[in-house]
Amino acid sequence: MEAADVFTKLDVQLRPDPSRTVIRPFSFGYPTAFSVNRTPRAQVVADRLRALDDDMRRRMRELLLTPMRERHRNVEQVLIRRFEEVRDQIGPGDLERDDQLLVGAYFSQEYAFESAALFNPSIVALPPEEQGDDQSIRFVVSLRGIGEGHVSSITFRTGTWGPEDRVIVDAPSPEGVPPCIERHHDEWVRLVCEDSQDVSETVIFPVLPSQRQGVEDLRLVNFTDHDGVRSIIGTYTAFDGHEARQELLRGVDLRTVEMRPMTGAMTGYKGMALFPRRIGGQFVMLGRQDSESIWLLRSDDLHVWEAGQPIMAPKYPWEFVQLGNCGSPVEIDEGWLVFTHGVGMVRGYCIGACLLDKEDPSRVLARTASPLLFPSAEQRGGYVPNVTYSCGALLHDRRVLLPYAIGDEYTAFAVGSVDDLLAVMVPA
């Protein structure tokens, strides 16, 4: 068997949908050179609103709420919440609830979070209590959506992987629900999506200064700690437009998440992925700290990563430029199965794999000499041409379900056998 024959591509695709929107905060001010000795711009806008007569404000509310109620559940609650967030910026004076709605609207925007792209998927099994019969496995997929300004957010889908490799992705809700943001000293936040009736409604958009330009490439893993406690944890890249750093997402449940930065010399880079359990009593990650090779990192603290070592460098033509992980390692009997991405000619991204020793994952046992998935002739266009990429795979009964992105634009799915995958690897 050739490496390119290991995976069977499924007729399942997830494409961007510009009709899905979310209401998110909108802020504005004067340029620094024009802000001296001036009333803050937020207060100026609020004062203009206060100066309008009652009839004008009533008509404005009708024009606002009639279409927004059709597209968003609990829109009044969202706008009032936004008013409370900016109350201290708009100057003195009480406002009736109807006028609070208008103020909230001026400081909000409707954002099409997946209008341009829906890609770089990760996948984990849903908790046992949400599983169905023994023949199928329920899963959640995280996806990177790109909207106006090339800003990245995270959205989700659920689905079922059943007998004969039948994959059904549940239709997403037309709603996009903004989270309630609980800030903790601008260093970490808790996002509470109480209004989400389905996980596909939950949208994680940038909320911290470190994330101004995007929350990118979430790599989810079902993590089991040494005390047996299970949780969904994800690492992602926070990008402020100039610098990238790694941050950690922990799912309290599928509608409440905590997001906080990781610190240490190893965290100012992209592409870290957590192992699903401790090894030798330590947390373990894969990374790409030198932008070229796969690194192994160990730490006693999940949030602090100071040291690491490269364990696998580019070797084959399709990975000469760069080698990195495609999500968290998957534990199998033979060791740790890691899907990799390689960058070759014309900045083409392909997907391969390697096998790490179970007790000492710094030891690479085997790897694919040829890519498993790569841009085909009919898939070479897209938002970013020549890219095939993934942020995680799902294992079930020695079968692998691998969602992957095409052209940094949309998401497809493939399935394959662990035994076939190991058979096409060569000793490292």
Side-chain angles (χ1 to χ4, degrees):
M1 174 177 285
E2 300 292 332
D5 298 324
V6 169
F7 279 99
T8 300
K9 297 177 181 178
L10 303 179
D11 188 22
V12 179
Q13 295 181 351
L14 303 178
R15 290 187 173 269
D17 181 357
S19 72
R20 302 192 73 222
T21 62
V22 66
I23 300 173
R24 74 174 194 180
F26 174 58
S27 301
F28 45 85
Y30 293 116
T32 302
F34 297 92
S35 64
V36 179
N37 298 324
R38 294 183 71 172
T39 301
R41 193 174 171 197
Q43 183 175 338
V44 169
V45 171
D47 288 343
R48 288 170 180 156
L49 177 64
R50 290 184 179 104
L52 297 175
D53 61 51
D54 291 344
D55 185 60
M56 174 61 78
R57 296 201 301 273
R58 178 187 59 76
R59 285 186 287 153
M60 290 171 61
R61 284 191 294 272
E62 291 176 356
L63 288 172
L64 166 71
L65 294 176
T66 298
M68 293 296 280
R69 283 169 175 155
E70 295 176 356
R71 298 198 292 271
H72 300 280
R73 189 185 315 119
N74 299 331
V75 63
E76 290 96 335
Q77 179 182 333
V78 173
L79 296 180
I80 291 295
R81 189 166 70 222
R82 182 58 178 149
F83 165 78
E84 295 295 342
E85 292 172 352
V86 302
R87 181 192 287 268
D88 294 340
Q89 304 175 35
I90 63 172
D94 293 332
L95 291 172
E96 298 294 329
R97 184 180 185 278
D98 284 348
D99 292 333
Q100 292 177 6
L101 287 170
L102 294 178
V103 172
Y106 276 108
F107 289 86
S108 301
Q109 70 174 114
E110 193 173 21
Y111 185 69
F113 53 90
E114 59 175 73
S115 59
L118 191 65
F119 66 118
N120 289 5
S122 181
I123 186 170
V124 291
L126 286 168
E129 60 270 18
E130 298 191 41
Q131 294 297 333
D133 60 71
D134 293 337
Q135 300 299 313
S136 300
I137 184 168
R138 292 282 293 161
F139 60 78
V140 60
V141 176
S142 68
L143 298 142
R144 176 179 169 186
I146 288 186
E148 175 190 354
H150 194 75
V151 175
S152 296
S153 303
I154 301 297
T155 183
F156 301 92
R157 300 286 190 276
T158 53
T160 303
W161 179 20
E164 299 180 357
D165 288 327
R166 187 181 183 209
V167 172
I168 299 174
V169 178
D170 302 328
S173 167
E175 303 271 355
V177 176
C180 296
I181 304 168
E182 300 176 3
R183 298 182 184 273
H184 296 262
H185 308 294
D186 255 0
E187 273 301 308
W188 69 277
V189 295
R190 178 179 288 113
L191 305 181
V192 183
C193 305
E194 292 178 340
D195 293 338
S196 292
Q197 297 180 359
D198 182 89
V199 70
S200 69
E201 296 182 350
T202 300
V203 182
I204 299 175
F205 49 72
V207 295
L208 292 173
S210 62
Q211 306 164 354
R212 187 173 292 108
Q213 194 60 33
V215 178
E216 303 178 357
D217 300 348
L218 179 63
R219 287 160 158 82
L220 293 175
V221 64
N222 276 316
F223 184 83
T224 303
D225 213 341
H226 51 63
D227 56 4
V229 174
R230 291 169 52 90
S231 56
I232 294 177
I233 297 179
T235 51
Y236 61 90
T237 298
F239 184 52
D240 66 5
H242 300 283
E243 296 181 349
R245 75 176 187 186
Q246 289 293 286
E247 297 183 351
L248 196 76
L249 178 151
R250 183 187 291 271
V252 178
D253 55 43
L254 291 177
R255 294 176 181 84
T256 304
V257 299
E258 293 178 355
M259 304 172 75
R260 64 180 67 203
M262 294 185 287
T263 61
M266 297 289 104
T267 61
Y269 309 93
K270 294 185 175 185
M272 290 172 63
L274 181 67
F275 280 66
R277 62 174 175 83
R278 299 188 195 220
I279 302 175
Q282 291 184 302
F283 298 101
V284 186
M285 289 252 201
L286 294 178
R288 183 170 45 82
Q289 276 57 32
D290 63 357
S291 296
E292 182 182 59
S293 303
I294 293 179
W295 284 54
L296 187 81
L297 322 171
R298 302 176 189 266
S299 177
D300 295 322
D301 187 327
L302 182 59
H303 300 99
V304 182
W305 298 85
E306 293 287 2
Q309 64 181 111
I311 61 171
M312 196 166 92
K315 182 176 181 179
Y316 301 103
W318 57 278
E319 57 187 23
F320 274 176
V321 174
Q322 175 179 303
L323 188 64
N325 71 73
C326 274
S328 292
V330 177
E331 187 169 9
I332 59 176
D333 293 340
E334 293 84 353
W336 295 103
L337 176 62
V338 178
F339 288 96
T340 65
H341 71 265
V343 180
M345 294 185 293
V346 294
R347 196 173 171 262
Y349 278 70
C350 301
I351 296 176
C354 67
L355 183 69
L356 308 181
D357 184 84
K358 187 171 290 193
E359 301 302 322
D360 179 9
S362 67
R363 293 183 57 229
V364 182
L365 304 179
R367 61 195 290 182
T368 52
S370 300
L372 302 163
L373 293 168
F374 48 86
S376 59
E378 68 275 13
Q379 297 170 339
R380 288 189 178 274
Y383 195 63
V384 180
N386 302 313
V387 175
T388 303
Y389 195 84
S390 178
C391 289
L394 182 61
L395 177 72
H396 183 58
D397 291 340
R398 300 285 288 185
R399 300 285 292 172
V400 175
L401 175 61
L402 180 66
Y404 63 100
I406 296 173
D408 274 11
E409 182 177 1
Y410 66 97
T411 294
F413 291 79
V415 292
S417 159
V418 169
D419 295 322
D420 289 343
L421 181 51
L422 296 177
V424 300
M425 289 188 184
V426 298

